């Protein structure tokens, strides 16, 4: 009987000596300038974008572009039937030329004293009226054609030659994707921290971009408590479409000399947020061990996966940054992972 008791005691001692400790990673609590970051959804839009229309009603006779085509400012895009306007313009040009010839003849006669000043002034008035009529006819003719107002890319063309359109009907979309804006909103509590030049990271499934804020609305949306903010960025290789939903990370003004830890080190509970602090760190037989204990902390701002600590910790302490899910309670013996590289 005694023999079996001794065997049992030896087994317990052996099990304790070979106990596998939970392995955790630790990081130092440190002070340095803290970069607050707030994230929110946003949308990006082309800085120059328009739905193009004509001021005239008529039948389309010519479509000079195709879907997705790149055009330059002044390029002719769409033409309506302009036979009547063209005839009126040609007649106005002829009238203006005749009035100019007549005016020059009357001017010479007036200089020779052959005609009266009244006759000369009549010829001068007729020339001015003829030129005005020509300009008016040219405007009417131009209103039958749609020109690109800026460099850009045509959207989807859904028009046909022979189609009848009304004045003001949207015919084509034109977007200049080389420079884009990002629109988003932040909480009114951050209004005092908003200013031009703040850095933005724009995240999306196609291509991440960097931008800067250029303007903040002076008005808070009373229904949401949000403030509208706008940023700009260059879209040199235009992979991003206008209207795309994106995630925006806004970097606020850095806060100097703050105590902070990785966000992954914090555990959340109804009784209070806490971290595991590791003390009694020793190295033996190639293994580094310590004792982890829960410490209640008061959290501040969050940014770049780090959190400001308002109270509960002091500089130089070591907190568990990975593996806290393996721990429960205080006074837990742990093994420190010293081989896995940690982020800066």
């Amino acid at each position: 009987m005694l023999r079996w008791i001794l065997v049992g005691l030896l087994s317990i001692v052996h099990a304790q000596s070979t106990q596998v400790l939970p392995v955790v990673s630790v990081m130092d609590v440190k002070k340095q300038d803290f970069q607050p970051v707030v994230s929110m959804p946003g949308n990006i839009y082309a800085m120059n974008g328009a739905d193009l229309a004509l001021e005239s009603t008529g039948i389309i006779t010519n479509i000079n572009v195709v879907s997705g085509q790149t055009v330059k400012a002044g390029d002719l895009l769409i033409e309506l039937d302009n036979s009547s306007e063209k005839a009126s313009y040609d007649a106005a040009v002829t009238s203006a030329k005749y009035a100019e010839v007549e005016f020059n003849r009357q001017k010479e006669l007036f200089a020779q004293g052959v005609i009266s000043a009244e006759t000369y002034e009549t010829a001068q008035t007729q020339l001015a009226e003829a030129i005005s009529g020509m300009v008016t006819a040219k405007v009417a003719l131009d209103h039958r054609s749609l020109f690109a107002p800026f460099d850009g890319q045509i959207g989807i063309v859904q028009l046909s030659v022979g189609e009848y359109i009304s004045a003001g009907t949207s015919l084509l979309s034109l977007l200049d994707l080389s420079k884009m804006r990002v629109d988003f909103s932040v909480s009114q509590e951050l209004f005092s921290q908003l200013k031009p030049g703040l850095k933005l990271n724009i995240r999306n499934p196609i291509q991440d971009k960097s931008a800067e804020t250029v303007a903040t609305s002076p008005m808070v949306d009373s229904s949401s408590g949000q403030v509208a903010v706008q940023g700009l960025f260059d879209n040199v290789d235009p992979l991003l479409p206008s209207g795309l939903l994106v995630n925006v990370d806004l970097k606020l003004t850095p806060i100097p000399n703050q105590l902070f830890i990785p966000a992954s080190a914090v555990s959340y509970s109804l009784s209070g947020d806490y971290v595991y602090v590791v003390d009694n760190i020793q190295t033996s037989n190639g293994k580094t061990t310590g004792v982890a204990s829960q410490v209640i902390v008061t959290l501040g701002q969050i940014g770049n996966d780090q959190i400001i600590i308002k109270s509960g910790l002091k500089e130089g302490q070591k907190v568990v940054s990975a593996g806290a899910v393996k721990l429960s309670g205080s006074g837990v013996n742990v093994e420190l992972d010293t081989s896995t590289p940690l982020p800066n």
Side-chain angles (χ1 to χ4, degrees), residues 15 17 20 29 51 107 109 116 119 130 137 140 143 169 247 251 272 276 307 321 327 331:
S17 64
V20 178
V29 178
D51 290 328
K107 182 180 179 181
L109 293 174
S116 66
T119 302
H143 281 177
T169 301
N247 294 309
K251 297 181 180 180
Y276 282 96
I307 301 180
S321 58
L327 310 180

Side-chain angles (χ1 to χ4, degrees), residues 141-217:
L141 179 61
D142 288 345
H143 281 177
R144 310 296 289 176
S145 300
L146 180 63
F147 299 92
F150 51 82
D151 296 354
Q153 184 177 355
I154 297 294
I156 301 299
V157 179
Q158 296 178 316
L159 300 170
S160 299
V161 172
E163 184 176 348
Y164 179 86
I165 61 102
S166 300
T169 301
S170 177
L171 302 178
L172 298 171
S173 62
L174 178 62
L175 298 173
D176 177 7
L177 299 177
S178 63
K179 185 175 287 291
M180 305 190 77
R181 74 177 198 266
V182 54
D183 293 340
F184 58 96
S185 297
V186 301
S187 172
Q188 60 186 4
E189 283 78 12
L190 298 176
F191 183 80
S192 62
Q193 301 183 54
L194 301 175
K195 62 181 181 180
L198 294 178
K199 302 298 183 182
L200 302 172
N201 287 331
I202 301 172
R203 295 178 287 111
N204 63 86
I206 302 174
Q207 183 187 49
D208 292 349
K209 287 286 187 179
S210 297
E212 289 188 357
T213 58
V214 293
T216 301
S217 172

Side-chain angles (χ1 to χ4, degrees), residues 12-335:
I12 292 173
V13 171
H14 178 71
Q16 290 178 339
S17 64
T18 58
Q19 179 184 6
V20 178
L21 301 179
V23 179
V24 300
S25 298
V26 297
M27 292 189 72
D28 292 335
V29 178
K30 54 186 178 181
K31 276 188 176 182
Q32 63 184 56
D33 292 349
F34 178 78
Q35 175 65 76
V37 176
V38 290
S39 300
M40 70 293 294
N43 288 90
I44 60 174
Y45 301 97
M47 278 300 295
N48 279 332
D51 290 328
L52 307 181
L54 281 167
E55 298 181 32
S56 299
T57 295
I59 296 174
I60 297 176
T61 57
N62 193 18
I63 301 173
N64 288 337
V65 291
V66 296
S67 299
Q69 181 176 334
T70 299
V71 298
K72 295 291 185 181
D75 284 355
L76 178 61
L77 308 179
I78 301 290
E79 288 181 288
L80 301 183
D81 176 36
N82 61 7
S83 53
S84 176
E85 290 76 13
K86 181 69 165 56
S88 297
Y89 175 67
D90 289 344
V93 170
T94 300
S95 296
K97 289 181 178 179
Y98 175 78
E100 184 179 14
V101 170
E102 182 62 19
F103 168 73
N104 289 332
R105 188 176 72 85
Q106 297 290 353
K107 182 180 179 181
E108 184 177 345
L109 293 174
F110 177 70
Q112 296 172 0
V114 176
I115 62 172
S116 66
E118 182 179 358
T119 302
Y120 170 70
E121 290 173 358
T122 298
Q124 191 176 33
T125 300
Q126 289 173 344
L127 175 60
E129 290 175 348
I131 293 174
S132 177
M134 182 178 65
V135 171
T136 301
K138 182 63 167 63
V139 170
L141 179 61
D142 288 345
H143 281 177
R144 310 296 289 176
S145 300
L146 180 63
F147 299 92
F150 51 82
D151 296 354
Q153 184 177 355
I154 297 294
I156 301 299
V157 179
Q158 296 178 316
L159 300 170
S160 299
V161 172
E163 184 176 348
Y164 179 86
I165 61 102
S166 300
T169 301
S170 177
L171 302 178
L172 298 171
S173 62
L174 178 62
L175 298 173
D176 177 7
L177 299 177
S178 63
K179 185 175 287 291
M180 305 190 77
R181 74 177 198 266
V182 54
D183 293 340
F184 58 96
S185 297
V186 301
S187 172
Q188 60 186 4
E189 283 78 12
L190 298 176
F191 183 80
S192 62
Q193 301 183 54
L194 301 175
K195 62 181 181 180
L198 294 178
K199 302 298 183 182
L200 302 172
N201 287 331
I202 301 172
R203 295 178 287 111
N204 63 86
I206 302 174
Q207 183 187 49
D208 292 349
K209 287 286 187 179
S210 297
E212 289 188 357
T213 58
V214 293
T216 301
S217 172
M219 180 183 299
V220 176
D221 186 329
S222 58
S223 62
S224 65
Q226 299 283 300
V227 181
V229 184
Q230 189 173 95
L232 288 181
F233 65 94
D234 290 327
N235 192 30
V236 180
D237 46 346
L239 298 179
L240 302 182
S242 185
L244 181 68
L245 178 64
V246 298
N247 294 309
V248 180
D249 298 326
L250 171 62
K251 297 181 180 180
L252 300 174
T253 302
I255 306 173
N257 199 31
Q258 295 295 308
L259 192 70
F260 62 87
I261 61 174
S264 60
V266 181
S267 299
Y268 303 91
S269 72
L270 295 176
S271 58
D273 303 324
Y274 62 91
V275 300
Y276 282 96
V277 174
V278 179
D279 295 310
N280 302 323
I281 297 176
Q282 300 177 1
T283 300
S284 177
N285 297 324
K287 288 186 177 182
T288 302
T289 60
V291 179
S293 301
Q294 289 183 358
V295 174
I296 299 295
V297 293
T298 303
L299 306 179
Q301 287 183 272
I302 301 174
N304 287 341
D305 298 323
Q306 297 172 325
I307 301 180
I308 287 180
I309 300 299
K310 291 184 175 180
S311 65
L313 295 176
K314 59 184 180 181
E315 190 173 12
Q317 289 182 299
K318 295 186 180 295
V319 297
V320 174
S321 58
V325 293
K326 306 173 187 177
L327 310 180
S328 177
S330 292
V332 182
N333 292 318
V334 296
E335 179 182 343

